[in-house]
Amino acid sequence: MLRACRTRSAPSEPVSVELRVNRRRILSKENPPMIQAIIGEAALRQKVGGVEVMSRQLDSLLHDSAHHQVSFRVVDFEAGATLAYFFHLIEFGGAKETPVAAFDAVTGMSFKKSPKDVREVRDFVESLRVIARTPEDSLEMIRTIRKELSRDS
């Protein structure tokens, strides 16, 4: 029997928390990057860690949108099935710097730098933008889900 979920071992959890904390520090730098995140509705509604944890997560998204250069686009359930990948398309401001596509996996991250790979990821991102809500509508959805969680607690 295959298991669909894998639990984290105790030693890897502190490392994971440290990595997330360090990533968040980037948002507070003098010239923080502009971040555009496309999120599936399921990621906002699944109560990972329970209602309290998800409430804090949604509050964090709303805070980041209000206080940092972060925008969100939500892909509704009604948009139909889309391929789901955890990835980052990193584009730099320098003229000589080339974009990088980074893919998260259970075993770590892999990086794609070839123009063909980056172009394919850009095309995929654009296809998600076409079916996703606007940033304003997405924030309203996040607020609505947050209110729903408040009623559940």
Side-chain angles (χ1 to χ4, degrees):
M1 178 175 157
L2 295 174
R3 295 192 63 137
C5 123
R6 181 177 157 231
T7 57
R8 249 183 220 185
S9 62
S12 69
E13 237 171 271
V15 172
S16 178
V17 170
E18 183 181 343
L19 288 173
R20 285 193 308 268
V21 168
N22 286 335
R23 265 195 310 225
R24 290 203 54 79
R25 285 189 185 130
I26 292 170
L27 297 175
S28 299
K29 287 188 171 191
E30 188 173 319
N31 290 312
M34 183 170 45
I35 298 171
Q36 298 176 5
I38 301 174
I39 304 171
E41 183 177 351
L44 301 173
R45 292 195 178 275
Q46 188 174 12
K47 296 176 182 129
V48 177
V51 171
E52 186 178 316
V53 170
M54 282 308 296
S55 295
R56 287 196 314 263
Q57 292 289 336
L58 295 174
D59 288 343
S60 179
L61 296 179
L62 294 168
H63 178 270
D64 289 345
S65 177
H67 300 287
H68 302 292
Q69 295 187 78
V70 179
S71 67
F72 299 99
R73 309 268 319 247
V74 176
V75 177
D76 291 324
F77 287 138
E78 289 80 24
T82 61
L83 294 174
Y85 297 107
F86 294 106
F87 68 91
H88 313 272
L89 179 58
I90 306 165
E91 301 195 66
F92 305 96
K96 294 184 179 183
E97 298 180 85
T98 58
V100 175
F103 293 85
D104 287 325
V106 174
T107 57
M109 292 190 77
S110 64
F111 298 90
K112 304 289 184 182
K113 298 178 182 179
S114 78
K116 178 185 178 288
D117 290 338
V118 170
R119 186 173 47 255
E120 287 176 1
V121 171
R122 274 191 184 133
D123 290 346
F124 181 65
V125 167
E126 190 53 37
S127 72
L128 291 174
R129 280 191 184 123
V130 167
I131 62 173
R133 289 175 173 246
T134 66
E136 296 78 17
D137 287 346
S138 297
L139 284 176
E140 188 57 37
M141 176 183 251
I142 294 169
R143 285 186 199 98
T144 299
I145 294 169
R146 176 62 180 93
K147 287 175 189 169
E148 291 168 3
L149 286 175
S150 293
R151 289 190 295 264
D152 289 349
S153 59

